[in-house]
Amino acid sequence: MKLLGCYQGKNGQIEIVECSWDGTRVYFEAGVRQSQATPDGESVFTYVKLMDELLSRSQRILVLGCGGGNLATRLSRLGKSLTVVDVNPISFVLAHQFFELPDQLPCIVSDFRKFVFDDRAYYDGIAIDVGGPGFRFMDEFDTETCDAIRARLAPGGRIVMNMMVANDIDPTPDRIAARLAGEELRTWIVDQQGIEDRNAVIACIAEKTLGSRTALDRVMR
């Protein structure tokens, strides 16, 4: 691996490295791999591709969390109108420099909780991919915050969230899904059992079905 840069972020040291075997670049924060993508920003993570597919019907999307900016880059290339929020200003710099985050995207430096409480705009899609070392999902996504996030949805809008799951008996995804959905939305959790410290994707939508099963199967494969 080749070290491309080392930077100090709000949550610890950030390193950008390039893999010699495939040319992909990895965004490490305090030793945790947050993003991995080709130099043009195409993520190798299944969960990013899944979030992309689940947001395919949305046009105006709020993206909470940047990291390497891979989800925002992909959605922008599909013609979506985006607003990207991250508390760590260096993330935007690195996403532009190393992962081809488009220059024209509105990038707002703010804690995601403060932003959703202060914002008055409406979105037909909200993508949530926040976290990092020491991040406590149950504390950060309390009932008031989840209500504020849902309040930013336009009629028929959807929330799609990535989160870390400790193990098969971790109740956190179910609890946060219920908070985000409230009484108005249906909840789905896409997860893979048997893996510790894994990604799971929560979808809170108004429709009775999650989406095209063929498209979702293609992404999961």
Side-chain angles (χ1 to χ4, degrees):
M1 301 181 85
K2 177 183 178 182
L3 180 64
L4 300 181
C6 186
Y7 309 87
Q8 185 59 44
K10 283 184 174 292
N11 298 317
Q13 183 171 277
I14 297 173
E15 296 174 322
I16 308 295
V17 302
E18 187 170 87
C19 302
S20 57
W21 54 90
D22 63 2
T24 59
R25 293 173 176 177
V26 186
Y27 181 118
F28 285 106
E29 184 176 31
V32 178
R33 185 176 60 157
Q34 299 284 19
S35 302
Q36 183 172 352
T38 60
D40 64 354
E42 188 69 28
S43 179
V44 303
F45 289 164
T46 298
Y47 86 82
V48 174
K49 301 177 188 296
L50 180 59
M51 292 180 74
D52 169 32
E53 175 60 33
L54 291 172
L55 291 164
S56 61
R57 302 180 185 179
S58 303
Q59 289 300 318
R60 188 181 186 192
I61 302 174
L62 173 63
V63 181
L64 302 177
C66 178
N70 304 150
L71 178 62
T73 296
R74 174 64 177 167
L75 293 171
S76 176
R77 289 173 179 166
L78 294 174
K80 312 296 186 181
S81 174
L82 304 180
T83 298
V84 188
V85 178
D86 198 290
V87 70
N88 200 351
I90 191 66
S91 291
F92 295 128
V93 175
L94 301 181
H96 284 116
Q97 181 175 352
F98 294 108
F99 297 100
E100 294 294 327
L101 182 71
D103 292 334
Q104 73 275 14
L105 293 184
C107 294
I108 299 173
V109 178
S110 172
D111 175 78
F112 80 95
R113 300 178 71 185
K114 182 180 186 305
F115 181 86
V116 296
F117 278 108
D118 294 344
D119 192 23
R120 291 297 176 264
Y122 293 97
Y123 310 87
D124 58 357
I126 299 177
I128 307 172
D129 190 9
V130 298
F135 190 87
R136 299 174 65 87
F137 281 95
M138 287 299 293
D139 293 341
E140 297 289 338
F141 289 90
D142 56 23
T143 301
E144 292 76 15
T145 300
C146 290
D147 287 346
I149 292 171
R150 190 173 61 258
R152 302 275 50 85
L153 281 182
R158 54 179 50 196
I159 302 169
V160 180
M161 175 180 174
N162 169 58
M163 65 169 296
M164 296 301 298
V165 182
N167 48 53
D168 289 350
I169 61 172
D170 185 351
T172 308
D174 300 271
R175 292 176 178 174
I176 291 179
R179 291 176 182 177
L180 285 171
E183 297 182 358
E184 302 99 58
L185 303 176
R186 301 171 184 268
T187 62
W188 303 78
I189 300 176
V190 183
D191 193 8
Q192 184 176 3
Q193 293 183 331
I195 301 173
E196 294 187 355
D197 298 321
R198 61 186 184 256
N199 295 93
V201 174
I202 297 170
C204 300
I205 64 177
E207 295 86 353
K208 294 182 179 180
T209 59
L210 186 57
S212 166
R213 183 58 184 266
T214 301
L216 293 174
D217 285 346
R218 182 177 64 250
V219 170
M220 296 302 292
R221 285 197 297 269

